[in-house]
Amino acid sequence: MQKRVLVTGAARFLGSHLCDRFLKEGCEVIGMDNLLTGNIRNIEHLFPLKEFSFYHHDVTKFVHIPGHLDYIMHFASPASPIDYLKMPIQTLKVGALGTHNLLGLAKAKNARILVASTSEVYGDPLVHPQTEAYWGNVNPIGPRGVYDEAKRFMESITMAYHNFHNVETRIVRIFNTYGPRMRLDDGRALPTFMSQALNNEDITVFGDGSQTRSFCYVDDLVEGIYRLLRSDYHLPVNIGNPSEITLQQFAEEVQALTGTKSAIVYRPLPQDDPKQRRPDITKAKELLGWEPKVERNEGLKRTLEYFRENLG
């Protein structure tokens, strides 16, 4: 029987790429999104396919899918600071109520569910690089707490359903990811730097630019997620690229790549902004045989092409 997959957050950056991957694997894909931060253009190329259907629905409300389901990929949530600072209640609700609803659906359908957690569960880390065993350094009442704690709760309730109801669960902790279909205005470093450079505006770096990030190309990330889903491992797994770079260096790379006249300027560092971010991917290598393949220079070229086509 053809595998049926529900992808929530299907019209968003990562969700749309996951829809593509499962269709390529011969699955029937049901996309679901309330379009709060998603864009229907990310999946409009899928609408002619009989193997794809779309539900315009908010997962914080009761979720019903007729027929059998094999897999549920829970990727619905605002994910950039600009979004979750604007929509704090919705962010908490999708991490709590949305996850609860989808775990209930997984239990009812006897489906395997993979939930999209984040490197933000580590907060502003005191351990570097971050391993899955690290419990994190999160400010629960700070401005970023609505996202960080929503994801931490997501992991807790997912483990509870696994342990108490024997639901087949998988948890991926996603580190910074980039590629085509990123929102141009989502406020994170890469889309901001690229948009500013292409418009010959000042490139704004928060703090002194010494804080680090690790950027993983979307195709690599999707491969890691797919392998985790198909594995028999139920504890959290980091998926990301351990190649670490300061935001100052990254801004300079974008300058060079775009050939912009933009200058780099500095702004105050937002509260609780992580100083270091780098995944330890030992577990992904050992359990999944996975590691990123796309070099940052190549990935940035592909992403720049998308930004040039879609900007302004």
Side-chain angles (χ1 to χ4, degrees), residues 120-124 136-149 152 271-273:
E120 298 299 332
V121 299
Y122 300 123
D124 187 7
N137 177 41
V138 171
N139 176 2
I141 59 170
R144 302 174 73 99
V146 295
Y147 183 66
D148 301 359
E149 295 294 4
R152 286 161 74 93
Q271 184 183 340
D272 303 327
D273 194 61

Side-chain angles (χ1 to χ4, degrees), residues 85-150:
L85 293 176
K86 224 188 306 180
M87 297 177 279
I89 308 300
Q90 293 96 324
T91 302
L92 285 160
K93 283 174 73 174
V94 75
L97 301 178
T99 306
H100 187 208
N101 286 338
L102 291 161
L103 285 163
L105 181 66
K107 179 173 175 281
K109 299 287 186 181
N110 197 26
R112 181 176 297 181
I113 180 170
L114 182 146
V115 299
S117 188
T118 171
S119 59
E120 298 299 332
V121 299
Y122 300 123
D124 187 7
L126 305 176
V127 169
H128 195 72
Q130 293 82 57
T131 71
E132 292 87 349
Y134 177 50
W135 292 354
N137 177 41
V138 171
N139 176 2
I141 59 170
R144 302 174 73 99
V146 295
Y147 183 66
D148 301 359
E149 295 294 4

Side-chain angles (χ1 to χ4, degrees), residues 189-199 254 257 300 303-304 307:
L190 188 146
T192 300
F193 290 178
M194 278 206 171
S195 297
Q196 289 170 336
L198 290 172
N199 287 323
V254 171
L257 183 66
L300 285 177
T303 308
L304 178 61
F307 269 63

Side-chain angles (χ1 to χ4, degrees), residues 8-9 12 37 74-80 90-91 94-95 147 150-151 154:
T8 71
R12 297 181 68 249
T37 57
H74 181 26
F75 279 71
S77 175
S80 72
Q90 293 96 324
T91 302
V94 75
Y147 183 66
K151 292 297 189 179
M154 169 192 272

Side-chain angles (χ1 to χ4, degrees), residues 274-286:
K275 310 298 185 301
Q276 291 181 305
R277 190 61 95 224
R278 180 188 169 203
D280 182 310
I281 61 168
T282 304
K283 196 173 274 192
K285 284 181 177 177
E286 291 175 352

Side-chain angles (χ1 to χ4, degrees), residues 24 26 44-45 98 120 122 125 129 139-140 152 157 169 189 191 193 200 255 308:
K24 186 180 170 188
E44 64 184 0
H45 63 290
E120 298 299 332
Y122 300 123
N139 176 2
R152 286 161 74 93
I157 194 171
T169 59
F193 290 178
N200 288 311
Q255 266 184 327
R308 281 199 166 121

Side-chain angles (χ1 to χ4, degrees), residues 8-312:
T8 71
R12 297 181 68 249
F13 167 47
L14 293 181
S16 66
H17 283 280
L18 283 167
C19 289
D20 288 345
R21 176 59 185 265
F22 282 107
L23 287 163
K24 186 180 170 188
E25 297 291 339
C27 300
E28 179 187 343
V29 174
I30 301 148
M32 184 174 286
D33 205 302
N34 66 355
L35 302 180
L36 196 63
T37 57
N39 191 325
I40 207 76
R41 282 180 301 180
N42 288 335
I43 51 171
E44 64 184 0
H45 63 290
L46 303 179
F47 279 81
L49 304 176
K50 64 178 175 56
E51 299 85 7
F52 180 77
S53 55
F54 179 71
Y55 284 51
H56 183 193
H57 183 71
D58 183 341
V59 297
T60 66
K61 310 290 194 297
F62 177 74
V63 179
H64 172 68
I65 301 292
H68 82 280
L69 271 182
D70 297 285
Y71 303 125
I72 298 170
M73 309 294 289
H74 181 26
F75 279 71
S77 175
S80 72
I82 202 169
D83 288 334
Y84 56 73
L85 293 176
K86 224 188 306 180
M87 297 177 279
I89 308 300
Q90 293 96 324
T91 302
L92 285 160
K93 283 174 73 174
V94 75
L97 301 178
T99 306
H100 187 208
N101 286 338
L102 291 161
L103 285 163
L105 181 66
K107 179 173 175 281
K109 299 287 186 181
N110 197 26
R112 181 176 297 181
I113 180 170
L114 182 146
V115 299
S117 188
T118 171
S119 59
E120 298 299 332
V121 299
Y122 300 123
D124 187 7
L126 305 176
V127 169
H128 195 72
Q130 293 82 57
T131 71
E132 292 87 349
Y134 177 50
W135 292 354
N137 177 41
V138 171
N139 176 2
I141 59 170
R144 302 174 73 99
V146 295
Y147 183 66
D148 301 359
E149 295 294 4
K151 292 297 189 179
R152 286 161 74 93
F153 177 85
M154 169 192 272
E155 292 194 10
S156 294
I157 194 171
T158 298
M159 287 302 300
Y161 264 76
H162 174 83
N163 293 324
F164 191 75
H165 290 305
N166 297 313
V167 173
E168 280 200 62
T169 59
R170 305 290 182 267
I171 301 171
V172 59
R173 288 181 181 162
I174 298 169
F175 283 68
N176 292 72
T177 305
Y178 69 100
R181 300 184 202 156
M182 288 192 90
R183 260 195 22 233
L184 278 59
D185 62 346
D186 96 342
R188 284 177 280 192
L190 188 146
T192 300
F193 290 178
M194 278 206 171
S195 297
Q196 289 170 336
L198 290 172
N199 287 323
N200 288 311
E201 298 168 354
D202 288 342
I203 296 174
T204 52
V205 170
F206 291 107
D208 62 4
S210 63
Q211 65 272 41
T212 67
R213 296 293 182 268
S214 306
F215 296 98
C216 184
Y217 189 65
V218 64
D219 290 359
D220 283 334
L221 186 89
V222 166
E223 177 64 27
I225 290 169
Y226 185 76
R227 291 190 189 194
L228 177 59
L229 175 72
R230 300 293 299 272
S231 77
D232 59 3
Y233 190 76
H234 69 277
L235 295 174
V237 177
N238 290 338
I239 300 288
N241 192 321
S243 175
E244 189 177 11
I245 186 173
T246 69
L247 286 180
Q248 173 70 34
Q249 292 169 319
F250 187 60
E252 290 167 359
E253 281 191 6
V254 171
Q255 266 184 327
L257 183 66
T258 57
T260 185
K261 297 183 175 67
S262 300
I264 297 172
V265 298
Y266 302 89
R267 298 283 182 265
L269 195 66
Q271 184 183 340
D272 303 327
D273 194 61
K275 310 298 185 301
Q276 291 181 305
R277 190 61 95 224
R278 180 188 169 203
D280 182 310
I281 61 168
T282 304
K283 196 173 274 192
K285 284 181 177 177
E286 291 175 352
L287 294 171
L288 312 176
W290 176 88
E291 59 183 318
K293 305 287 188 207
V294 180
E295 296 289 339
R296 191 170 60 247
N297 188 50
E298 174 58 30
L300 285 177
K301 284 178 186 171
R302 297 182 200 173
T303 308
L304 178 61
E305 192 176 319
Y306 173 80
F307 269 63
R308 281 199 166 121
E309 288 170 6
N310 289 275
L311 200 61

